[in-house]
């Protein structure tokens, strides 16, 4: 699942980042790397940008930037 598709309040573990793109490389420098837990705080009106929380800080991403991050969503019922 792409990070851009995760609803507000959802969370997941990063499984891949398109590091072939400039945005993907920059996100990797900011700590968005496989194995990191990410939570979506909120989406702005019309869905862009997206506020996320990782590594004890918040980050706002445009929807197309969030789309380069693949995640394994966590289930709210304890199953993934």
């Amino acid at each position: 699942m792409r990070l851009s598709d995760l609803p507000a309040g959802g969370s997941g573990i990063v499984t891949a980042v398109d590091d072939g793109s400039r945005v993907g490389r920059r996100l990797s420098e900011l700590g968005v790397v496989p194995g990191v837990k990410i939570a979506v705080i909120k989406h702005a009106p019309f869905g862009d940008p997206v506020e996320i929380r990782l590594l004890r800080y918040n980050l706002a991403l445009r929807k197309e930037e969030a789309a380069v991050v693949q995640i394994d969503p966590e289930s709210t019922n304890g199953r993934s």
Side-chain angles (χ1 to χ4, degrees), residues 43-77:
H43 293 266
F46 306 109
D48 195 22
V50 177
E51 183 179 1
I52 63 171
R53 181 157 182 86
L54 72 151
L55 302 175
R56 300 187 325 180
Y57 74 94
N58 291 6
L59 181 65
L61 301 174
R62 295 191 178 276
K63 195 169 185 174
E64 69 261 12
E65 294 169 338
V68 304
V69 179
Q70 294 290 321
I71 61 165
D72 182 16
E74 292 182 331
S75 173
T76 57
N77 64 6

Side-chain angles (χ1 to χ4, degrees), residues 15-54:
T15 58
V17 178
D18 178 13
D19 57 0
S21 69
R22 184 181 63 82
V23 170
R25 286 190 301 273
R26 181 66 181 139
L27 289 174
S28 294
E29 291 170 356
L30 292 171
V32 182
V33 294
V36 169
K37 183 177 179 178
I38 287 184
V40 174
I41 305 301
K42 63 184 173 186
H43 293 266
F46 306 109
D48 195 22
V50 177
E51 183 179 1
I52 63 171
R53 181 157 182 86
L54 72 151

